[in-house]
Amino acid sequence: MTLPLRAHRAHQTLQSDTDWSWLSQWRSQAWSTFADTPWPTRKTEDFKYTPLKSLTNTDWELPTGSAKGTGRGVEFENWPRTVLTLIDGRLTDHDELPEGVTVKLLSKASAEDRVRFEQRLEAGLADNKQLFSLVNQALLSEVVWIEIAANQQLEKPLHINQIISSGAQQRVIPVRVLVDVANSARATLVETFSSEADGPVFINPITELMLADNARLTHYHLLMEQGDVRHLGAVQAQLGAYANLNAFHMALGGVLKRKDITVYHRGSGAELNLNGVYLPRGKEHIDYHTCLEHEVPHCTSQEVFRGIIGDQAKAVFNGRIHIHKDAQKTLAQLSNKNLLTSHQAEVDTKPELEIYADDVKCAHGATISQLEQKSLFYFLARGISRPEAEVMLSFGFINELLEGLEDEPVRLLLRPVLANLFAKEDIWARHLL
Amino acid sequence: MLKIDNLTAQVEDLTILNGLSLEVKPGEVHAIMGPNGAGKSTLGNVLAGRDGYTVTGGTVEFDGKNLFDLEAEERARAGIFLAFQYPVEIPGVSNMEFLKASVDAIRTARGEEPMSSMDFIKLARAKCKEVDLPQDFLKRGVNEGFSGGEKKRNELLQMMLLEPRLCILDETDSGLDIDALQVVAKGVNDLRSPDRGIIVVTHYQRLLDFIIPDYVHVLAKGRIVKSGDKSLALELEKHGYSWIDEEVA
């Protein structure tokens, strides 16, 4: 049985429960496209290395909205921030919003808001060719729409703390987060995902970032759910003129994770820094598909993704750069490096350059390697045990990217998580904590 | 302390060491000189336990124990220190983390407690000063972006922190200018002690102007063909290595 059949009841239940005809229609549209799309097989290019079997043996239902007894999700030490807590896709709590920031919810939209939501969602970036964007639209029950007014310089980061509750087994959780950063505004957005569920969970989030001219956004998108979790979603961003997006992605844990990241350079002079790490172990599977759409001239993209794949885990990285005909003077670089720490680990990496402008500078590269023997020997020759040396070297491979993070608290959160991830015994990570 | 007897070793089926014998007693400084390809670096690597070298004959005893019973990290913990000819760059691991991990491993092996972070930082900073490395080198990745001289000084820094029983300096003078050479030489001289052995492997006599050896050995074709005192090094400098070839022939 394929996913459309497994989720059909969820879609129907949702549709019977609304008086908002536009929304109902919008979801139906997506549902019919989704249901008509052939279910991906090994021959479907986009999912060639990412089988979706783990999605098709559960009848997915939407959350009932009465989640209780959850923990606090992901917390950062000594980092004052404006926290918005979402449990099973519903905003349950938020700190006082700073000046210049508004948050609207689809589920609580007034008649006036509904009109704005309709316009905003229809003008959105969601790609109808992306299978899991369609799922999100077909099952959409909540949208958290954050607007940051022009010229606002947010002192504290906004933290969207998404928690999957312990009662969420067999739930599909589609959430959409829209963040609109108006002209010359500046903000930091942290999105974290964690799960307490015991049974299978299917998280299907979309984050849409609209950066107007001269806007600056630092974005962290950290998938930290462990256990029986499938997380298939997308991050889409649009950059206006001289906008700057500095993004860091991380994925660890879970049965299956797939993130499609698309960035549209739509204003001249826009700058993108897109970095990420993925760390599947055990039998986990993590897939990042990134696509940079350079549509206008004089934009830059720097993209670095690194992965460490252990045990029998599998990773997929597909990095596409598309330079449109008018995008002269584009500067775009993509690097993807992978470290395999077990003979059964696997990675499939594919950089793709598609260039239609003739005056651009583009570079891409991908490597797959194991720990270097000469580095390992250097540790051994100083008396450090082999397992500790392996942990420190693996950590170092990722730490190069952590060191580039703007926010120390994120680094401090991730350091011990990563150090302990590589160490089967605590003592092997002791010099990294 | 170190007794090498008739050692033969191969790298990829090629015999590099061919019946090498050498004894180093505590307190002694031995210089090993020889032309390129004589097996100088192989000796250091075999003693430190690097993969890829196959010992095909002979014995090496270290403090009465068969050295080849020990893994590389166990040899380091027993007190053998190889200063690398080409120290490895390890981005992402800070020099401080690396040094602390190393010092803790050695101390644990000696039955001592790991140092507190505060004490260690103090000690590492003091030693940095001695080898003339700026303190921010402790925060940087291990050898990352260091110049040749800085890498060698970092090796010396490690040696000072680990206080090994036997130091093997593998062409530590190569790539050093005269100032750096003097810093390294001073560091090594400070480490001379009645219970520590030092082997200085070098191609040139120059380093031996600053580290005066008790013995000088000439290594050629995988074995020691001539031994003497420091005057041997001067003779080599004057006549070159071909003189030895003729003499041996």
Side-chain angles (χ1 to χ4, degrees), chain A residues 398-422:
Chain A
I398 293 298
N399 192 38
E400 278 187 86
L401 288 182
L402 294 192
E403 282 172 358
L405 297 181
E406 274 179 21
D407 296 286
E408 178 77 14
V410 179
R411 195 162 41 239
L412 291 178
L413 173 83
L414 297 183
R415 264 186 84 93
V417 172
L418 297 183
N420 287 316
L421 187 75
F422 303 129

mmCIF file of all heavy atoms in Angstrom, chain A residues 398-422:
data_model
loop_
_atom_site.group_PDB
_atom_site.id
_atom_site.type_symbol
_atom_site.label_atom_id
_atom_site.label_comp_id
_atom_site.label_asym_id
_atom_site.label_seq_id
_atom_site.Cartn_x
_atom_site.Cartn_y
_atom_site.Cartn_z
ATOM 1 N N ILE A 398 33.704 17.336 11.755
ATOM 2 C CA ILE A 398 32.469 18.111 11.820
ATOM 3 C C ILE A 398 32.717 19.462 12.498
ATOM 4 O O ILE A 398 32.147 20.485 12.136
ATOM 5 C CB ILE A 398 31.396 17.326 12.632
ATOM 6 C CG1 ILE A 398 30.976 16.077 11.867
ATOM 7 C CG2 ILE A 398 30.190 18.201 12.950
ATOM 8 C CD1 ILE A 398 30.349 16.319 10.539
ATOM 9 N N ASN A 399 33.612 19.427 13.471
ATOM 10 C CA ASN A 399 33.851 20.629 14.275
ATOM 11 C C ASN A 399 34.341 21.815 13.450
ATOM 12 O O ASN A 399 34.121 22.961 13.803
ATOM 13 C CB ASN A 399 34.855 20.303 15.381
ATOM 14 C CG ASN A 399 34.943 21.395 16.414
ATOM 15 O OD1 ASN A 399 33.931 21.997 16.768
ATOM 16 N ND2 ASN A 399 36.136 21.679 16.893
ATOM 17 N N GLU A 400 34.979 21.521 12.344
ATOM 18 C CA GLU A 400 35.400 22.619 11.463
ATOM 19 C C GLU A 400 34.205 23.495 11.084
ATOM 20 O O GLU A 400 34.331 24.709 10.955
ATOM 21 C CB GLU A 400 36.025 22.052 10.201
ATOM 22 C CG GLU A 400 37.475 21.666 10.376
ATOM 23 C CD GLU A 400 38.065 21.265 9.037
ATOM 24 O OE1 GLU A 400 38.524 22.146 8.315
ATOM 25 O OE2 GLU A 400 38.041 20.056 8.726
ATOM 26 N N LEU A 401 33.048 22.863 10.897
ATOM 27 C CA LEU A 401 31.849 23.646 10.565
ATOM 28 C C LEU A 401 31.252 24.304 11.804
ATOM 29 O O LEU A 401 30.770 25.427 11.748
ATOM 30 C CB LEU A 401 30.791 22.760 9.900
ATOM 31 C CG LEU A 401 31.104 22.321 8.466
ATOM 32 C CD1 LEU A 401 29.967 21.485 7.903
ATOM 33 C CD2 LEU A 401 31.340 23.520 7.571
ATOM 34 N N LEU A 402 31.294 23.597 12.932
ATOM 35 C CA LEU A 402 30.764 24.189 14.170
ATOM 36 C C LEU A 402 31.526 25.453 14.536
ATOM 37 O O LEU A 402 30.954 26.424 15.023
ATOM 38 C CB LEU A 402 30.867 23.208 15.342
ATOM 39 C CG LEU A 402 30.038 21.933 15.309
ATOM 40 C CD1 LEU A 402 30.064 21.272 16.679
ATOM 41 C CD2 LEU A 402 28.613 22.193 14.886
ATOM 42 N N GLU A 403 32.824 25.424 14.289
ATOM 43 C CA GLU A 403 33.635 26.587 14.655
ATOM 44 C C GLU A 403 33.232 27.824 13.871
ATOM 45 O O GLU A 403 33.482 28.940 14.293
ATOM 46 C CB GLU A 403 35.123 26.276 14.462
ATOM 47 C CG GLU A 403 35.664 25.447 15.601
ATOM 48 C CD GLU A 403 37.078 24.950 15.343
ATOM 49 O OE1 GLU A 403 37.623 25.216 14.260
ATOM 50 O OE2 GLU A 403 37.614 24.276 16.232
ATOM 51 N N GLY A 404 32.607 27.612 12.727
ATOM 52 C CA GLY A 404 32.196 28.752 11.918
ATOM 53 C C GLY A 404 30.844 29.328 12.328
ATOM 54 O O GLY A 404 30.421 30.325 11.757
ATOM 55 N N LEU A 405 30.177 28.708 13.311
ATOM 56 C CA LEU A 405 28.850 29.194 13.690
ATOM 57 C C LEU A 405 28.941 30.543 14.391
ATOM 58 O O LEU A 405 29.837 30.782 15.183
ATOM 59 C CB LEU A 405 28.144 28.201 14.619
ATOM 60 C CG LEU A 405 27.843 26.821 14.024
ATOM 61 C CD1 LEU A 405 27.119 25.964 15.050
ATOM 62 C CD2 LEU A 405 27.019 26.954 12.758
ATOM 63 N N GLU A 406 27.955 31.391 14.101
ATOM 64 C CA GLU A 406 27.964 32.728 14.694
ATOM 65 C C GLU A 406 27.647 32.696 16.185
ATOM 66 O O GLU A 406 28.072 33.565 16.930
ATOM 67 C CB GLU A 406 26.899 33.599 14.008
ATOM 68 C CG GLU A 406 27.384 34.268 12.754
ATOM 69 C CD GLU A 406 26.289 35.087 12.097
ATOM 70 O OE1 GLU A 406 25.323 35.451 12.778
ATOM 71 O OE2 GLU A 406 26.422 35.348 10.896
ATOM 72 N N ASP A 407 26.847 31.719 16.594
ATOM 73 C CA ASP A 407 26.327 31.740 17.956
ATOM 74 C C ASP A 407 26.948 30.653 18.820
ATOM 75 O O ASP A 407 26.694 29.456 18.636
ATOM 76 C CB ASP A 407 24.801 31.598 17.922
ATOM 77 C CG ASP A 407 24.160 32.778 17.218
ATOM 78 O OD1 ASP A 407 24.120 33.857 17.810
ATOM 79 O OD2 ASP A 407 23.767 32.620 16.046
ATOM 80 N N GLU A 408 27.725 31.105 19.771
ATOM 81 C CA GLU A 408 28.403 30.206 20.694
ATOM 82 C C GLU A 408 27.443 29.211 21.381
ATOM 83 O O GLU A 408 27.766 28.033 21.513
ATOM 84 C CB GLU A 408 29.153 31.055 21.741
ATOM 85 C CG GLU A 408 29.887 30.294 22.823
ATOM 86 C CD GLU A 408 31.207 29.706 22.337
ATOM 87 O OE1 GLU A 408 31.663 30.111 21.253
ATOM 88 O OE2 GLU A 408 31.745 28.832 23.041
ATOM 89 N N PRO A 409 26.239 29.645 21.812
ATOM 90 C CA PRO A 409 25.352 28.696 22.504
ATOM 91 C C PRO A 409 24.962 27.487 21.637
ATOM 92 O O PRO A 409 24.758 26.399 22.162
ATOM 93 C CB PRO A 409 24.115 29.537 22.842
ATOM 94 C CG PRO A 409 24.609 30.938 22.880
ATOM 95 C CD PRO A 409 25.673 31.016 21.827
ATOM 96 N N VAL A 410 24.875 27.693 20.334
ATOM 97 C CA VAL A 410 24.544 26.558 19.465
ATOM 98 C C VAL A 410 25.718 25.573 19.451
ATOM 99 O O VAL A 410 25.551 24.361 19.553
ATOM 100 C CB VAL A 410 24.224 27.036 18.028
ATOM 101 C CG1 VAL A 410 23.905 25.842 17.132
ATOM 102 C CG2 VAL A 410 23.065 28.010 18.050
ATOM 103 N N ARG A 411 26.904 26.154 19.374
ATOM 104 C CA ARG A 411 28.111 25.317 19.407
ATOM 105 C C ARG A 411 28.172 24.545 20.720
ATOM 106 O O ARG A 411 28.451 23.362 20.746
ATOM 107 C CB ARG A 411 29.330 26.229 19.239
ATOM 108 C CG ARG A 411 30.587 25.509 18.907
ATOM 109 C CD ARG A 411 31.665 26.414 18.320
ATOM 110 N NE ARG A 411 31.786 27.702 18.942
ATOM 111 C CZ ARG A 411 31.650 28.857 18.303
ATOM 112 N NH1 ARG A 411 31.389 28.865 17.010
ATOM 113 N NH2 ARG A 411 31.782 29.993 18.927
ATOM 114 N N LEU A 412 27.849 25.232 21.812
ATOM 115 C CA LEU A 412 27.926 24.581 23.125
ATOM 116 C C LEU A 412 26.866 23.491 23.274
ATOM 117 O O LEU A 412 27.079 22.505 23.962
ATOM 118 C CB LEU A 412 27.779 25.613 24.246
ATOM 119 C CG LEU A 412 28.957 26.571 24.387
ATOM 120 C CD1 LEU A 412 28.697 27.581 25.493
ATOM 121 C CD2 LEU A 412 30.258 25.809 24.650
ATOM 122 N N LEU A 413 25.718 23.685 22.613
ATOM 123 C CA LEU A 413 24.696 22.630 22.644
ATOM 124 C C LEU A 413 25.155 21.413 21.841
ATOM 125 O O LEU A 413 24.984 20.264 22.269
ATOM 126 C CB LEU A 413 23.386 23.159 22.035
ATOM 127 C CG LEU A 413 22.293 22.092 21.852
ATOM 128 C CD1 LEU A 413 21.531 21.898 23.154
ATOM 129 C CD2 LEU A 413 21.340 22.433 20.727
ATOM 130 N N LEU A 414 25.739 21.679 20.679
ATOM 131 C CA LEU A 414 26.026 20.580 19.758
ATOM 132 C C LEU A 414 27.303 19.823 20.088
ATOM 133 O O LEU A 414 27.403 18.626 19.819
ATOM 134 C CB LEU A 414 26.092 21.098 18.321
ATOM 135 C CG LEU A 414 24.782 21.696 17.795
ATOM 136 C CD1 LEU A 414 24.929 22.121 16.351
ATOM 137 C CD2 LEU A 414 23.631 20.690 17.930
ATOM 138 N N ARG A 415 28.282 20.504 20.671
ATOM 139 C CA ARG A 415 29.563 19.842 20.957
ATOM 140 C C ARG A 415 29.401 18.528 21.710
ATOM 141 O O ARG A 415 29.850 17.485 21.237
ATOM 142 C CB ARG A 415 30.477 20.779 21.755
ATOM 143 C CG ARG A 415 31.465 21.553 20.942
ATOM 144 C CD ARG A 415 32.398 22.322 21.870
ATOM 145 N NE ARG A 415 33.490 21.481 22.319
ATOM 146 C CZ ARG A 415 34.672 21.434 21.697
ATOM 147 N NH1 ARG A 415 34.902 22.153 20.645
ATOM 148 N NH2 ARG A 415 35.614 20.625 22.144
ATOM 149 N N PRO A 416 28.763 18.553 22.902
ATOM 150 C CA PRO A 416 28.648 17.284 23.627
ATOM 151 C C PRO A 416 27.756 16.275 22.915
ATOM 152 O O PRO A 416 28.013 15.068 22.973
ATOM 153 C CB PRO A 416 28.035 17.691 24.973
ATOM 154 C CG PRO A 416 27.454 19.040 24.774
ATOM 155 C CD PRO A 416 28.228 19.687 23.671
ATOM 156 N N VAL A 417 26.739 16.776 22.214
ATOM 157 C CA VAL A 417 25.865 15.843 21.484
ATOM 158 C C VAL A 417 26.691 15.066 20.463
ATOM 159 O O VAL A 417 26.613 13.843 20.359
ATOM 160 C CB VAL A 417 24.727 16.624 20.773
ATOM 161 C CG1 VAL A 417 23.930 15.702 19.852
ATOM 162 C CG2 VAL A 417 23.805 17.272 21.797
ATOM 163 N N LEU A 418 27.514 15.803 19.724
ATOM 164 C CA LEU A 418 28.316 15.155 18.688
ATOM 165 C C LEU A 418 29.420 14.284 19.292
ATOM 166 O O LEU A 418 29.647 13.168 18.851
ATOM 167 C CB LEU A 418 28.935 16.205 17.765
ATOM 168 C CG LEU A 418 27.926 17.035 16.985
ATOM 169 C CD1 LEU A 418 28.630 17.997 16.039
ATOM 170 C CD2 LEU A 418 26.984 16.140 16.194
ATOM 171 N N ALA A 419 30.086 14.813 20.315
ATOM 172 C CA ALA A 419 31.178 14.046 20.923
ATOM 173 C C ALA A 419 30.650 12.712 21.440
ATOM 174 O O ALA A 419 31.253 11.658 21.225
ATOM 175 C CB ALA A 419 31.816 14.846 22.050
ATOM 176 N N ASN A 420 29.493 12.754 22.100
ATOM 177 C CA ASN A 420 28.941 11.511 22.644
ATOM 178 C C ASN A 420 28.378 10.601 21.564
ATOM 179 O O ASN A 420 28.311 9.393 21.735
ATOM 180 C CB ASN A 420 27.868 11.822 23.694
ATOM 181 C CG ASN A 420 28.488 12.343 24.969
ATOM 182 O OD1 ASN A 420 29.482 11.802 25.440
ATOM 183 N ND2 ASN A 420 27.920 13.399 25.528
ATOM 184 N N LEU A 421 27.987 11.210 20.468
ATOM 185 C CA LEU A 421 27.457 10.415 19.366
ATOM 186 C C LEU A 421 28.519 9.457 18.819
ATOM 187 O O LEU A 421 28.249 8.309 18.507
ATOM 188 C CB LEU A 421 27.002 11.367 18.253
ATOM 189 C CG LEU A 421 26.276 10.756 17.071
ATOM 190 C CD1 LEU A 421 24.864 10.391 17.482
ATOM 191 C CD2 LEU A 421 26.234 11.741 15.912
ATOM 192 N N PHE A 422 29.744 9.946 18.722
ATOM 193 C CA PHE A 422 30.807 9.119 18.154
ATOM 194 C C PHE A 422 31.391 8.155 19.173
ATOM 195 O O PHE A 422 32.013 7.165 18.811
ATOM 196 C CB PHE A 422 31.936 9.999 17.610
ATOM 197 C CG PHE A 422 31.484 10.983 16.573
ATOM 198 C CD1 PHE A 422 31.787 12.317 16.668
ATOM 199 C CD2 PHE A 422 30.731 10.547 15.496
ATOM 200 C CE1 PHE A 422 31.367 13.224 15.709
ATOM 201 C CE2 PHE A 422 30.300 11.436 14.535
ATOM 202 C CZ PHE A 422 30.621 12.773 14.634
#
